[in-house]
Amino acid sequence: MITLIANPSQIVTVDSKGKNYKRGKELGEIDVLTEHSILVEDDLIKDFIPNQSINYSQLDAIINVKDKVVFPGFVDCHTHTVFAGSRAEEFKMKIAGASYEEIAKAGGGINKTVQAVRKLSFEDLVEISKPRIIYAISQGITTLEIKSGYGLSFDDEIKLLNVINHLNNIFPIDIIPTFLGAHTFPPEYKSDQEKYISLINEKMLPFIANNKLAKFCDAFCEKTAFSAEQIDRIFQTASSLGLKLKLHTDQFNSIGGIDLGLKHKVVSLEHLEVVKNEDILKLGNTDIVCVLLPGVSFFLHYGFAPARDLISKNAIVALSTDYNPGSSHISNINLIMSLAAIEMKMTIEETISAVTINAAKALDVNNSVGSIEIGKKADFAILDTQEYPDIVYNVGKNLNCMTIKNGKIIYKNI
Ligand code: NIG
Ligand code: FE
């Protein structure tokens, strides 16, 4: 099946010259093609054709995108999309001045959502998640990571991972499951942390690996969550079982997460709002993706991650929504790009690399998605505008009018 994505005003290729990521100043080089169409064979990108040399007789289908901008399908690489309940009360406390840590200590925070998730069945969780996935698709997101971490018991963590895998089966986009059993200590293990770590290492991780329920193992390295030493032991087990690693670190406190990430060669380090200068230097010399989450800084109203310093030190920077009910109740990727530009001074081009090729690298799928390059999956977001900077300039507005996944239209609003 040969399909032509015909006659767009611009194709934002985010060409990585086969390298499949962008570091430092490369983030600013996104490569914009005009006067070309994209030839797709089945589910893959086959070629770029100058508009005047299109051979219409060889085509099976034409998708007309005249006066639109074609982007690579967006990759939201850090989310907690499967959650239950509302944390609106906390949101009100925050507006009145309480800090995230104060709220967590007062019994709110992650464990509030854990309580709500434990009450719901697999089916209920699938149902409440569906509209969230549909919204992601409507924005042109074609690859979405979702973490567990709101179950925190064997049964409830497995239930969450089963929900995430089921969503991947029933929706046409790629949904990548991450195990986040080490999100925080659940109340029943608060006074016996070692027992919970044993549960993760001896029961949860072996079951998850045997049943291939997650691609990644993540953890939250923070004073109110897990120490670097505790996570070190969890990561040893996870990597010996074949899971790849990610780490939430340096969100509020810098307690050894960066060195731990370097030691375990994690795929990505995420948050980094308070990362130290000496650690920025270390990150600039590695293949680890620095996933920045400006929605969290905005929602909780505290400092943003030092994107400019990381980029100037040559780091591989990605952006994501961190969609969750407590610290970033934001699932709009355009808003995240605008926040990154306005608050972290990333250029528009850098924000585009950060939600495409570099976000794909944060999920270790960058050899097949994240840029419009020959041989990659035909995943596109078609934006209803003629100039690519409009995606960041239109703050919080969804300009996507068509989502194409594996060469097929999966969402259309034109
Ligand atoms: O990524 N940092 C820890 N976990 C989430 C917050 C989850 C919650 O508050 O429910 C985050 O910010
Ligand atoms: Fe998170």
Side-chain angles (χ1 to χ4, degrees), residues 107-242:
I110 294 165
N111 272 313
K112 177 95 193 293
T113 303
V114 170
Q115 265 178 20
V117 163
R118 287 180 176 181
K119 284 189 194 130
L120 292 197
S121 65
F122 168 90
E123 289 79 13
D124 292 338
L125 286 165
V126 168
E127 284 312 308
I128 55 172
S129 304
K130 279 181 184 170
R132 300 174 191 159
I133 311 293
I134 291 166
Y135 180 59
I137 292 172
S138 78
Q139 297 177 68
I141 291 170
T142 49
T143 307
L144 174 69
E145 186 251 19
I146 307 181
K147 302 173 195 296
S148 67
Y150 289 128
L152 309 187
S153 69
F154 179 85
D155 288 350
D156 292 298
E157 281 297 303
I158 302 306
K159 177 176 72 181
L160 279 174
L161 289 172
N162 282 332
V163 170
I164 298 165
N165 282 290
H166 181 70
L167 293 169
N168 181 46
N169 291 336
I170 62 174
F171 283 100
I173 61 168
D174 292 324
I175 297 178
I176 297 175
T178 293
F179 170 59
L180 180 58
H183 197 185
T184 194
F185 288 96
E188 62 275 24
Y189 292 103
K190 275 256 143 73
S191 54
D192 195 352
Q193 299 193 343
E194 276 311 304
K195 208 168 163 196
Y196 186 61
I197 292 168
S198 301
L199 177 68
I200 292 179
N201 281 336
E202 288 160 28
K203 258 192 102 188
M204 294 187 189
L205 279 169
F207 185 88
I208 289 161
N210 281 340
N211 292 282
K212 297 196 175 2
L213 294 182
K215 174 169 180 176
F216 293 99
C217 175
D218 194 349
F220 187 20
C221 188
E222 183 54 56
K223 282 183 183 167
T224 56
F226 290 74
S227 70
E229 184 279 323
Q230 290 170 326
I231 297 168
D232 189 18
R233 287 181 281 139
I234 293 169
F235 277 3
Q236 279 173 31
T237 309
S239 53
S240 73
L241 290 165

Side-chain angles (χ1 to χ4, degrees), residues 78 80 87 90 100 109-110 113 147 150 180 183 220 248 251-252 271 293 296 300 322 324-328:
H78 175 144
H80 307 252
R87 306 244 298 271
E90 277 173 36
Y100 184 61
I110 294 165
T113 303
K147 302 173 195 296
Y150 289 128
L180 180 58
H183 197 185
F220 187 20
H248 284 68
Q251 179 178 4
F252 301 112
H271 275 290
L293 309 163
V296 179
L300 300 181
D322 195 8
N324 77 75
S327 67
S328 178

Side-chain angles (χ1 to χ4, degrees), residues 38 93 128 165 185 196 200 204 216 219 253 275 298 347 379 387 393:
I38 306 168
M93 282 172 70
I128 55 172
N165 282 290
F185 288 96
Y196 186 61
I200 292 179
M204 294 187 189
F216 293 99
N253 298 284
V275 63
F298 176 63
T347 67
D379 292 3
E387 303 280 345
Y393 173 55

Side-chain angles (χ1 to χ4, degrees), residues 255-312:
I255 59 163
I258 306 289
D259 285 335
L260 180 73
L262 292 167
K263 174 181 167 189
H264 285 277
K265 296 190 169 51
V266 297
V267 175
S268 58
L269 289 167
E270 327 220 340
H271 275 290
L272 306 178
E273 289 85 341
V274 300
V275 63
K276 294 185 199 143
N277 284 337
E278 67 255 35
D279 287 337
I280 294 176
L281 279 173
K282 294 178 196 167
L283 292 171
N285 291 317
T286 68
D287 270 355
I288 295 174
V289 183
C290 302
V291 178
L292 310 184
L293 309 163
V296 179
S297 302
F298 176 63
F299 194 84
L300 300 181
H301 199 249
Y302 72 115
F304 286 79
R308 284 261 57 88
D309 293 342
L310 284 159
I311 292 171
S312 73

Side-chain angles (χ1 to χ4, degrees), residues 14-15 17 22 25-31 349-350 353:
V14 199
D15 190 346
K17 322 280 183 264
K22 290 178 184 276
K25 66 174 175 26
E26 294 166 352
L27 270 99
E29 300 156 8
I30 54 171
D31 277 316
E349 293 76 14
E350 287 169 344
S353 296

